[in-house]
Amino acid sequence: MRKILLLVVLFPSVLFSQKLDHTASYRDIPSERYFRFNYDNDYFDATDRNYTQGYSFELVLPVLEKNPINRLLIAPKENSKRYGVAVEHIGYTPHYYERPEIQDGDRPFAAAIMLKSFVITTNSSKKSRLSSSLSLGLIGPGAFGKEMQVGIHKATGNDIPLGWKHQIKNDVVVNYNVHYEKQVLRYENIWSVQADASANLGTLFTNASIGVNSSFGILNQPFSANTERKFKLYAYIHPAVSVIGYDATLQGGVLNKESPYIIDSSAVERLTAQFNYGLVLQTRTLYFEYARSLITREFETGTPAGWGGIKIGFTF
């Protein structure tokens, strides 16, 4: 716990409003072996701008405890632990993505791809969860954001994006994330409330946030050592506020300053609010989720944005 407080104090300008978050308690899969596919798209919000698409492949296995990167992660000895890896890809576009010219005042085209190593730890007696991760990857043309979006638009008959030649240039992604969550209220197995805090530090996102989430329905037990896998059906809400230090999808890479168009640091909104909500269905071996997210504008001339997503997983 002292390490978490230290991170929050040292990095106050550090997004729990991660675009592909999988460590929140309401997304818990009670197994040491599972696979989950996460897919986000602003199509669910009837738009095609800002955070336009993201996906990840997530794998948790006991053997991944041997991953040498885990030595850099925070895993208290008294907590139960689950180790995993994930491949993540995210993409951003301005409003008029079909125009070939730079769109001053709107966000730049940007895409990033990362390999994430993570650990999720649980302290059953204190009803708390601590997750940490290290993501290594690339932002820029090497993340094939153009190829991905153009291919999808051709397949679906939509307008072809023509502005990717102005995207954020190639740069390295090294990002460290810590997320702490504490259950503060639970009424039997039908309602719970949790407080959470998170910090990101790195070349892609540097930010910090606090939030509260609540679940209601036939609930899971993410703060219990009991890995029972029964039928669960519940809804959740999760408002959060973030303080933004750096966002490479807006400001360009930390090392490569050759991007043709970026949002100036003075125009980046330093305080954002995000509201997540969704519905989760779990059986003994399967996981299904429909999620929606809304976020306030992320730069001065931007607009509020929204997206939705589906998550499908299974244990084995």
Side-chain angles (χ1 to χ4, degrees):
M1 181 61 185
R2 291 180 179 177
K3 292 182 179 179
I4 301 302
L5 293 175
L6 182 61
L7 282 170
V8 173
V9 170
L10 290 179
F11 307 125
S13 62
V14 194
L15 151 94
F16 177 58
S17 52
Q18 296 181 79
K19 301 303 190 290
L20 287 168
D21 172 51
H22 59 90
T23 61
S25 63
Y26 50 80
R27 292 192 169 121
D28 183 70
I29 296 180
S31 174
E32 293 184 346
R33 295 176 174 84
Y34 67 82
F35 171 84
R36 179 161 50 191
F37 171 66
N38 307 276
Y39 181 73
D40 291 342
N41 199 298
D42 54 2
Y43 173 83
F44 293 96
D45 194 56
T47 59
D48 207 346
R49 63 184 303 182
N50 291 304
Y51 174 52
T52 190
Q53 178 178 268
Y55 64 86
S56 72
F57 301 94
E58 173 191 354
L59 179 66
V60 169
L61 287 172
V63 69
L64 293 175
E65 181 178 359
K66 299 178 181 179
N67 181 353
I69 292 180
N70 293 338
R71 297 180 181 180
L72 303 175
L73 304 182
I74 304 173
K77 293 182 179 180
E78 66 274 17
N79 290 13
S80 61
K81 306 170 185 65
R82 284 176 288 174
Y83 294 90
V85 294
V87 176
E88 299 183 341
H89 186 272
I90 53 177
Y92 299 80
T93 64
H95 187 187
Y96 299 106
Y97 60 84
E98 73 280 5
R99 296 179 180 177
E101 67 272 13
I102 290 176
Q103 297 174 48
D104 290 319
D106 207 339
R107 70 155 54 245
F109 285 83
I113 188 168
M114 296 149 284
L115 176 63
K116 174 192 287 186
S117 300
F118 64 89
V119 59
I120 301 172
T121 75
T122 304
N123 189 312
S124 300
S125 61
K126 296 181 179 179
K127 302 298 181 185
S128 64
R129 284 162 60 99
L130 172 63
S131 304
S132 57
S133 66
L134 178 63
S135 297
L136 304 174
L138 178 73
I139 184 174
F144 56 87
K146 172 186 175 181
E147 292 77 6
M148 178 69 67
Q149 190 181 39
V150 169
I152 291 175
H153 280 232
K154 284 183 177 180
T156 57
N158 290 319
D159 292 336
I160 303 301
L162 298 178
W164 277 99
K165 60 185 176 182
H166 306 301
Q167 69 178 295
I168 300 297
K169 293 300 183 183
N170 283 330
D171 207 342
V172 64
V173 169
V174 180
N175 242 83
Y176 196 92
N177 171 265
V178 177
H179 175 217
Y180 178 76
E181 192 171 0
K182 169 72 174 178
Q183 187 171 90
V184 296
L185 179 65
R186 185 179 181 93
Y187 178 71
E188 296 185 345
N189 287 327
I190 60 175
W191 181 48
S192 69
V193 178
Q194 291 73 226
D196 60 75
S198 183
N200 270 304
L201 178 66
T203 62
L204 184 63
F205 298 123
T206 296
N207 42 54
S209 71
I210 57 173
V212 176
N213 68 77
S214 180
S215 301
F216 42 93
I218 306 173
L219 297 185
N220 61 354
Q221 298 187 40
F223 299 94
S224 172
N226 183 0
T227 58
E228 62 173 328
R229 290 176 287 179
K230 298 179 180 179
F231 176 83
K232 304 174 185 70
L233 177 63
Y234 55 92
Y236 65 83
I237 57 173
H238 185 186
V241 177
S242 297
V243 179
I244 310 301
Y246 195 85
D247 185 341
T249 69
L250 292 173
Q251 299 172 256
V254 172
L255 302 177
N256 188 343
K257 301 300 183 181
E258 301 302 318
S259 296
Y261 172 70
I262 60 172
I263 298 296
D264 188 78
S265 176
S266 62
V268 174
E269 293 288 351
R270 298 303 173 183
L271 185 66
T272 64
Q274 183 168 323
F275 184 72
N276 307 315
Y277 60 98
L279 184 67
V280 175
L281 168 66
Q282 290 195 58
T283 68
R284 186 174 181 83
T285 58
L286 300 177
Y287 178 97
F288 302 95
E289 178 185 347
Y290 173 70
R292 291 292 302 273
S293 296
L294 303 170
I295 191 171
T296 58
R297 68 181 188 181
E298 298 176 273
F299 53 100
E300 287 183 357
T301 53
T303 60
W307 64 91
I310 57 172
K311 304 176 189 297
I312 302 173
F314 59 87
T315 63
F316 53 90

